Every structure is written in C-alpha cells, then in structure tokens.
C-alpha cells in the first residue's frame, strides 16, 4: 500500500488523484455556467436545424455524389464482405448502426453510379436521417462553446445561425456522408476541453471531463484523420500552459497523457468492431498482404490452420495502407478546388443532376465573407492588443502559469470600465485560439497533390465562426446595437439560404445558372 508522510511524521494512505464521486455534501456540476436561457436557445436552434435537415430528406431519390462510396461501405458491413477505405471506420460504423436501427436492408442494391435511382423498398432514408440528426447537434454545441468562452448571447446565436444557414453544411448533413459526424466530433472535443480547463484538479468534475475529452478526441480522429487538428491544438495548449481565459486551469502532464490514451483506446475499439463485422472476403482484399487475407473467410489464401495475425498487427497494416493510398491519390476531379479559394466559396460541387433537379454544394456567401473578414480583422486586433500591453507595461491573458493574471482581459483598468464586455486583450487572446484553429484545419490541404473539395473547409469554418463571434463582441460594445446587427446579419444569411434552397433540396424552382454569382459556380 502506497503511503505518504504528513506533518509530524505520520503516514496517510495514498489517495487516487482523480476521484469520480463527490465529497459528502458536495454535488457534481458538469456545466456550471449554463443558464436556463442558454438551454432554451440551444433547444430552439436544434429544432430549427432539424427542420432544415429533415425537410425533403428522401430527395433526391437517387445516389448523390459520395453516397456512391459510403452507401457501398454500409452495404459492406451488412454483407460482412471486406472493403478498403482511406478513412477510419467510425463514421461508416455509425451510418450502419443508424441503418440497422432504422430497418435498412440493402437487399442486393449496389451504389454503382451517381444518380442511380433507389428502389422503392430500399430504406435509404434511415442512413440520411442518421447524418441529419448528428449534423443538427453541431449547432447547439457551437452555441454552447461560444458561451463557454464568455461570448455574448447575440454573438453565440449569430455564429450558430450562420452554420445552420450554410448550404454546404446543410447538404453534407442530409446525405449518406460522414462530414457531419466529423464536425460534431471536433465540436464536442473542443467543448469538452473548454469544460476541462475550468475544473479544479482533484475534483470529480476534472475526472469526468478528462474521460469525456479523451472520448471526444478519439471520436474526432476515428471519423477522419483530419479530425486530429482539434485534439492537437487543445492538447498543445494544455501541455504548454498557455492561457486564454482567467478560468482556464493547468492540466498536468500525466492527465494529458491519460486523455491521449483514452482517445487511442477508443480509436482502436472502432477497428475491433470493423474487423468483427468484415470477416468475409470482399473487394478490399487486394489492398492487404497475404497474411491479412488469410484471416478473411472465402479468400483464396484462407486457411484456418495458418496462424492468424493479431488485432494490433492487422490494425497497423491497414492504417499503413491507408496512409499510402492517401498519398497515392493523384486523379483529378472536375469539381475540385484549392484550399485558398474555400474562404470565399469560389468553387462549388455539383452533387446531383437529373433533368431540372440539382444538388449543388456551395457556401453561404454572407457567412463565408463575414468569417473571412473576421480572420483578416484578427491581425490588427492582436497587434493592437500587444501594443496596448507594451505601452501600459501590463500582462496579457496569453501567458504561462507563473504569470497568470487575475482577470481574463488585457488590463485591469480596462476590465473595471467594461467588466462584462469584450476587451481588446481578451479579443486578442481568444482570437489567437480561434485563428490557430481556423489555420490548422487548412494545413493538411496546403501543398498536397490529391484533389480536395469545398466541404473540407467545414472544420476550419467552425473555428472561423467562433472568431467572427469574438470580433462581433469586440467591435460592437453596446448590447442593443449588437442585437440589431445580429438580427440583420442572420436575416441576410437566411435570405441567401432561401435563394439557394432549390439546390439544397433538389426541387426545380431555379436553375444553377440563374444563381451563378461567381464564374466558377
């Protein structure tokens, strides 16, 4: 039994530093700063978002863009035939689970070509419904995250409504695709980390949020590897002890390791389910070596007498092959676009066309331009914050543990004047966090040879919306003016969404040509 010395030389039993149960007379509060108003607002946002996602969810009644891939992957889980994909399995497993619960049965249907009509007896709606529900949950999570960073109700609501009214995210959330899961997992990972930063060490709240943060990070990387951006950013912040708010607590190194270990275990668990479901020989056999193929029943190399490869070996080999296959993609696509064009949605993607019915993925130009403006505005804001700090010889909120200030603002005098408003120093600190999140999500697509598409910008857009909310609070100090501007901006975004609704819901009210605002559309 481990023990430690107390004053006076007496020994006290060693206590596990991460308790799960509260002390006598205490209660566990996981969201201590959430108000009744916030809960109500999140509920309203969720209902509205579900309405936009579920409306005409069965349309179009044919295979749309990458449903060609993910629909076939789901069929693979139902038939147990091994397939290969360049992404981790969680997103596909969740779609398959949604299909199972919704009564989906492939019944021999193959997603062979884009535009192929669905048979009447195929319940493909359960797969789209799964993506829609998960995508809708991102909106209240974004609102709650903004409020966690002490952003105003007006700014948090505007950011959430902007994502709700973005056509690109709406389309991705209505189809048999996994990007809605990717964005949700990244959003949850960031939210969990913000709650973890507020907890005191040695409390049940700290233990619970360590576990939830680890699971959130594991979920992010288990959908797509690009989901690593959020765990990497928040993990680096926790390890280095850089502070962005006064409520942020230091996370010890061993707790950071624990979070990473939980995430890794979750990642491995998704592969265990993947292998358990795909035990028959299938179209993905050729990607794997002979020893791996011997584990697949029906494969020409299959022999039950041969020693099988271990789970960890199979996982390692498959991940290695995924990395190689990712790097080997050189084929071009007529609707691909460069990463530097995404912030203005310069190039959309034609997802589906049948007669006068089209699904065309493009960003809400009001949302994209305002987010880009916030990104540009961040640079002088942080410059002014640094100049203000040097001029007054005061500390910033972006400091290490030893220099941590008592306020979550740049200067004490400024906080006394505007105790509840966004100060310059706080804007610079939060802006730095969100700007880095915006940039690090673009980083994987800079300098690569493989084709990329507008929807790859969605994780970066999420951070850009938080940056926009920060700049809104920074520039508009008067609450009533901020409320008026928020309503006006949301109205403008809603107008654009209404104009492009035919290209979201595939009804022939307008042609894409009549909405060609940019030459590349």
């Amino acid at each position: 039994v481990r023990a430690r010395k107390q004053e006076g030389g007496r020994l006290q039993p060693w206590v596990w530093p991460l308790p799960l149960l509260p002390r006598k007379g205490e209660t566990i509060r996981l969201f201590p700063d959430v108000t009744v108003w916030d809960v109500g607002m999140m509920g309203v946002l969720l209902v509205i978002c579900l309405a936009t996602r579920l409306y005409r969810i069965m349309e179009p009644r044919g295979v749309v863009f990458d449903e060609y891939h993910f629909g076939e992957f789901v069929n693979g889980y139902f038939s147990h035939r091994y397939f290969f994909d360049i992404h981790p399995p969680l997103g596909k497993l969740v779609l398959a689970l949604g299909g199972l619960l919704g009564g989906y049965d492939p019944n021999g249907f193959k997603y062979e070509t884009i535009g192929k009509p669905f048979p009447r007896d195929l319940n493909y709606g359960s797969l789209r419904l799964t993506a829609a529900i998960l995508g809708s949950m991102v909106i209240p999570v974004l609102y709650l995250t903004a409020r966690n960073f002490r952003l105003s109700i007006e700014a948090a609501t505007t950011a959430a409504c902007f994502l709700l009214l973005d056509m690109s995210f709406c389309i991705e959330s209505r189809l048999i695709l996994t990007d809605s899961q990717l964005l949700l997992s990244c959003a949850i990972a960031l939210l969990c980390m913000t709650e973890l930063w507020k907890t005191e060490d040695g409390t049940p709240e700290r233990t619970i949020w360590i576990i939830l943060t680890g699971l959130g990070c594991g979920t992010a990387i288990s959908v797509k590897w690009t989901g690593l951006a959020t765990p990497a950013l928040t993990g680096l912040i926790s390890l280095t002890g850089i502070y962005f708010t006064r409520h942020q607590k230091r996370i010890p190194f061993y707790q950071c390791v624990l979070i990473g270990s939980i995430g890794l275990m979750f990642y491995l668990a998704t592969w265990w389910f993947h292998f358990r479901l795909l035990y028959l020989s299938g179209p993905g056999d050729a990607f794997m070596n002979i020893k791996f193929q011997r584990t697949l029943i029906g494969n020409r190399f299959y022999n039950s007498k041969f020693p099988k490869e271990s789970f960890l070996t199979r996982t390692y080999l498959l991940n290695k092959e995924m990395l190689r296959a990712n790097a080997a993609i050189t084929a071009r696509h007529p609707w691909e676009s460069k990463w530097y064009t995404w912030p203005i949605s310069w190039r959309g993607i034609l997802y589906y066309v049948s007669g006068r019915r089209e699904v065309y993925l493009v960003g809400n130009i009001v949302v994209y331009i305002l987010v880009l403006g916030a990104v540009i505005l961040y640079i002088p804001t942080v410059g002014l914050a640094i100049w203000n700090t040097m001029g007054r010889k005061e500390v910033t909120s972006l400091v290490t543990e030893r220099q941590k200030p008592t306020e979550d603002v740049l200067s004490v005098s400024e906080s006394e004047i505007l105790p509840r408003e966004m100060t310059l120093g706080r804007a610079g600190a939060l802006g730095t966090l969100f700007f880095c999140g915006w940039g690090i999500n673009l980083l994987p697509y800079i300098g690569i040879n493989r084709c990329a598409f507008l929807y790859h910008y969605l994780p970066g857009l999420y951070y850009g919306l938080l940056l926009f909310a920060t700049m809104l609070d920074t520039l508009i100090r008067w609450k009533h003016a901020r409320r008026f501007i928020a309503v006006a901006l949301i109205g403008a975004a809603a107008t654009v969404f209404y104009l492009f609704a035919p290209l979201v819901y595939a009804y022939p009210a307008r042609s894409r040509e009549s909405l060609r605002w940019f030459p590349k559309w």
Side-chain angles (χ1 to χ4, degrees), residues 424-455:
L424 189 60
R426 183 161 166 251
L430 288 181
T432 298
L433 171 61
F434 301 142
F435 179 83
C436 289
W438 177 83
I440 199 172
N441 277 284
L442 288 176
L443 193 60
Y445 305 100
I446 298 176
I448 63 170
N449 292 324
R450 61 160 294 183
C451 58
F453 301 92
L454 180 62
Y455 59 78

Side-chain angles (χ1 to χ4, degrees), residues 44-87:
V44 171
L45 288 169
L46 179 61
V47 170
I48 296 175
C49 192
L50 282 170
T52 62
R53 272 56 177 173
L54 299 182
Y55 174 63
R56 289 174 59 91
I57 197 168
M58 302 298 286
E59 299 292 337
R61 297 180 179 272
V63 179
V64 179
F65 201 62
D66 277 352
E67 287 187 330
Y68 163 76
H69 295 294
F70 291 102
E72 200 61 27
F73 294 151
V74 171
N75 285 357
Y77 285 127
F78 276 82
S79 66
H80 307 293
R81 299 180 66 232
Y82 183 79
F83 63 82
F84 175 80
D85 182 31
I86 60 174
H87 301 301

Side-chain angles (χ1 to χ4, degrees), residues 274-349:
H274 180 78
F275 292 137
R276 289 284 292 181
L277 289 172
L278 302 180
Y279 54 82
L280 298 179
S281 177
D285 292 12
F287 288 90
M288 312 312 298
N289 63 24
I290 294 177
K291 286 186 177 181
F292 189 104
Q293 293 184 47
R294 284 173 179 164
T295 66
L296 300 172
I297 298 174
N299 184 274
R300 63 193 181 99
F301 298 111
Y302 178 76
N303 189 328
S304 59
K305 296 181 180 180
F306 274 98
K308 300 294 184 292
E309 289 186 313
S310 67
F311 164 71
L312 291 178
T313 301
R314 297 173 73 192
T315 304
Y316 167 75
L317 290 174
L318 183 48
N319 278 258
K320 181 180 178 181
E321 180 60 25
M322 287 163 53
L323 185 63
R324 185 207 64 79
N326 252 307
I329 296 176
T330 57
R332 310 325 301 173
H333 194 282
W335 294 102
E336 67 177 290
S337 54
K338 295 294 185 180
W339 64 272
Y340 50 80
T341 67
W342 298 339
I344 59 171
S345 187
W346 181 252
R347 177 70 163 167
I349 313 170

